[in-house]
Amino acid sequence: MILFLLLLAVFYTQAGYFALMCLLSRKAPRPLEKTAPLPDAITIILCVHNGEAMIQGRLQNLVDCTWLGAREIIVFCDGCTDATARRAEESAAPDVRVLVHPEKRGKWAALNDAVQAASHPIIIFADLRQTFDDQALLHLAEAFRDPQIGAVSGLLEIASSDTGGGKGVDLYWRMERKLREWEARFDSVIGCTGAIYAIRRDLYTDLKAGTILDDVVVPMKIAHQGFRIGYEPSARAFDPQTLEPQKEKARKLRTLVGNYQLIEQYPEWMIPGKGPLWWQLISHKYARLAVPWLLLLIAIISLLGPKSLFTWALIIGQVVCYSLGALGCVLPHLRSRLITIPAGFLLLQWSCAQALFGYIRSRSDPLSLWKTTTKA
């Protein structure tokens, strides 16, 4: 019975919630009510640490995006020790405001100060490395024609990987994007894509010191004010960095550590009645943290417990899947889906297992996550 419940929990987390949200988005969709006019003014916020090599190109990309109303771009230099501020000021891009803090405090502090300085009612958050599609600003702003939309996430296009494990992670990312689309159609997406999302300025509340997942905390706080979090896949950003296992491992580790931080800092979000998206949050974010430990329990119980035809089949299935996954990690040139999918799954579960220890190590200094994972 315990083994069955463990298997059911893993199935729900990895596939059941995905299937359930697909069903709910089709049977009980909540359509948008676009009764308000299109916003006529936006502020784009770009928080940067030592980005002199890319800042002018990024600003030009943002200026080239189609927009007919007022637009300002705030470049917040967070403890930059290079010429980022000067390059931004010298850029040909109009309506650029450069704000500088001499010490690196972290993105949470830069966002708090930048939003406070913003002039317009709609704020669009962007990152340095990615670029926006020409129509991205218009698609993000269009969502706010529904008065109930408090924030909206765009879609991040990431270049496909050529390695075996990376191809497995590619599949995970495609599933994640589809899940966000279904969540938004049913009610609200759980978190936004940090590289491209927008909010109503008057709904922003300051982030706590050391916040890791600002792109989850900001929209979740807006949802707790009674607004929906939308998803607009037509608003696209492009990331030149591929989903190579080592690079994805670093990014994923930060995300998973951030989920542990959310549990500690906002436990009320999981309480029915207090958290409007409580079960979606648990299903989408928190349950995944438990999967590697559930898999470990399944392996131990199936190996040490009473044997039956079912347990022998389960043991053989585990050995085959984990062996194929390990083969895909060791030999990344292999391309068969029989290998790349288990390899991607194994990489993600390893990151989940590491996240608990990463969170314990980084609680006193969240910025250390970026130092550690940059070396990884």
Side-chain angles (χ1 to χ4, degrees):
M1 183 62 177
I2 294 177
L3 192 57
F4 175 77
L5 292 175
L6 291 172
L7 288 168
L8 186 62
V10 171
F11 173 79
Y12 175 77
T13 302
Q14 299 301 119
Y17 177 64
F18 185 83
L20 177 61
M21 196 51 64
C22 174
L23 179 64
L24 291 174
S25 69
R26 295 180 181 182
K27 299 298 183 182
R30 185 179 172 187
L32 296 177
E33 303 288 343
K34 295 185 177 181
T35 58
L38 188 74
D40 59 2
I42 58 172
T43 294
I44 303 171
I45 291 179
L46 191 62
C47 297
V48 183
H49 174 72
N50 289 352
E52 64 174 327
M54 294 186 286
I55 188 63
Q56 290 188 339
R58 183 64 170 116
L59 290 175
Q60 189 60 52
N61 166 250
L62 293 173
V63 170
D64 289 342
C65 291
T66 301
W67 183 253
L68 302 178
R71 165 174 37 190
E72 71 171 349
I73 303 173
I74 294 178
V75 177
F76 194 101
C77 297
D78 183 38
C80 292
T81 57
D82 62 0
T84 299
R86 178 168 56 82
R87 293 282 179 87
E89 289 170 344
E90 293 172 353
S91 170
D95 301 317
V96 173
R97 295 167 58 195
V98 179
L99 305 179
V100 176
H101 193 278
E103 298 178 357
K104 185 179 181 181
R105 297 172 297 166
K107 191 176 180 181
W108 65 271
L111 288 174
N112 287 344
D113 289 351
V115 171
Q116 182 67 31
S119 303
H120 300 313
I122 300 298
I123 293 177
I124 295 175
F125 297 107
D127 285 342
L128 181 64
R129 189 177 67 235
Q130 295 81 15
T131 56
F132 281 6
D133 176 76
D134 175 67
Q135 301 295 307
L137 302 181
L138 288 174
H139 287 304
L140 288 173
E142 175 72 16
F144 293 103
R145 292 188 56 209
D146 185 332
Q148 282 301 304
I149 292 291
V152 59
S153 177
L155 180 149
L156 181 61
E157 296 275 11
I158 304 178
S160 297
S161 170
D162 289 329
T163 64
K167 283 188 172 296
V169 177
D170 287 343
L171 176 62
Y172 161 81
W173 181 239
R174 291 196 298 271
M175 291 177 64
E176 177 70 15
R177 284 165 33 177
K178 182 57 69 173
L179 179 58
R180 294 182 183 190
E181 180 181 332
W182 291 336
E183 285 178 334
R185 192 182 303 166
F186 172 65
D187 187 347
S188 290
V189 65
I190 304 301
C192 292
T193 298
I196 179 167
Y197 77 105
I199 67 167
R200 297 186 190 273
R201 181 184 180 277
D202 59 353
L203 299 179
Y204 183 90
T205 55
D206 281 352
L207 295 165
K208 294 181 179 181
T211 295
I212 299 170
L213 297 182
D214 55 272
D215 52 359
V216 176
V217 175
V218 170
M220 282 297 293
K221 284 187 171 184
I222 290 174
H224 277 250
Q225 297 177 60
F227 291 84
R228 292 179 67 184
I229 312 303
Y231 179 67
E232 182 46 72
S234 297
R236 296 181 297 163
F238 304 96
D239 194 332
Q241 179 173 293
T242 64
L243 286 170
E244 298 297 333
Q246 282 302 109
K247 296 175 181 177
E248 176 63 9
K249 176 184 172 183
R251 186 200 67 81
K252 193 63 181 175
L253 181 62
R254 286 196 296 268
T255 300
L256 294 166
V257 170
N259 287 339
Y260 277 108
Q261 185 187 67
L262 291 179
I263 293 173
E264 180 182 6
Q265 293 187 345
Y266 303 97
E268 68 276 10
W269 288 357
M270 297 184 290
I271 301 175
K274 289 191 176 181
L277 304 173
W278 67 273
W279 73 270
Q280 295 101 311
L281 178 65
I282 293 172
S283 299
H284 191 153
K285 294 289 184 182
Y286 299 157
R288 294 177 180 179
L289 299 173
V291 170
W293 313 112
L294 294 177
L295 291 173
L296 181 60
L297 283 174
I298 289 170
I300 292 172
I301 293 173
S302 59
L303 286 170
L304 302 182
K307 297 298 183 290
S308 66
L309 184 61
F310 172 73
T311 54
W312 278 118
L314 185 59
I315 291 170
I316 294 171
Q318 291 175 88
V319 170
V320 170
C321 289
Y322 295 148
S323 297
L324 290 173
L327 188 63
C329 294
V330 175
L331 301 175
H333 62 278
L334 298 177
R335 300 289 188 272
S336 171
R337 287 194 174 187
L338 289 175
I339 294 175
T340 60
I341 292 176
F345 179 79
L346 209 58
L347 288 169
L348 292 172
Q349 299 317 313
W350 178 244
S351 294
C352 280
Q354 286 184 303
L356 176 59
F357 306 104
Y359 177 59
I360 294 171
R361 289 194 304 268
S362 65
R363 285 187 74 231
S364 60
D365 181 20
L367 282 178
S368 65
L369 285 169
W370 279 262
K371 300 171 189 173
T372 301
T373 53
T374 298
K375 298 175 184 178

